Amino acid sequence: MFNEKTTLILGAGASCGYGYPLGHELIDKMIAVCAKWSSTRGSGHVAIIGDRLGTLLRFYDPVSIDSFLYHYEHDRELVAWAKMGIGQVLLSAARLADFERRSSNSQNWYRLLWNAIVSGARADDLADPAK
């Protein structure tokens, strides 16, 4: 498919058909995760970091989670907890059945792209014939 080494960079929209949240929705869901951490752990460290992270996400209101992580990159603990929150949101959001071989999900373009790459298809072969 490619004559040279190629890197594909996909944005959040590439995965939303599989149940993954878009940027601002990810932040909203992370704020909810932080609220759970705060309420279920009493006054321990998890509650403290949940309160702090949730408050910063609400008031900083980042355009993307990447900009938030970049802004607070000096605070390794906060970034580590934010990444755990991202993981928790993504793991709970995924509709894993959509990735199964016999899935009826018509948006399963990952499988089609992977097959095109490993089969050696040319990029021109993948172009939309209607265009």
Side-chain angles (χ1 to χ4, degrees), residues 24-65:
H24 207 270
E25 184 182 4
L26 171 63
I27 293 166
D28 291 343
K29 290 179 182 277
M30 285 184 62
I31 291 169
V33 165
C34 290
K36 286 183 185 176
W37 289 346
S38 297
S39 66
T40 60
R41 306 286 189 223
S43 60
H45 188 67
V46 174
I48 293 168
I49 199 73
D51 284 339
R52 181 168 177 244
L53 180 57
T55 298
L56 289 172
L57 285 168
R58 278 191 307 280
F59 290 105
Y60 182 74
D61 194 22
V63 172
S64 71
I65 195 61

Side-chain angles (χ1 to χ4, degrees), residues 1 108-121 126:
M1 175 176 222
N108 192 349
W109 63 270
Y110 284 136
R111 181 176 53 87
L112 298 175
L113 178 61
W114 175 252
N115 286 335
I117 291 170
V118 297
S119 72
L126 304 176

Side-chain angles (χ1 to χ4, degrees), residues 95-110:
R95 295 191 312 255
L96 297 179
D98 287 350
F99 291 97
E100 291 181 10
R101 185 171 172 266
R102 298 201 194 303
S103 170
S104 62
N105 182 1
S106 63
Q107 297 184 34
N108 192 349
W109 63 270
Y110 284 136

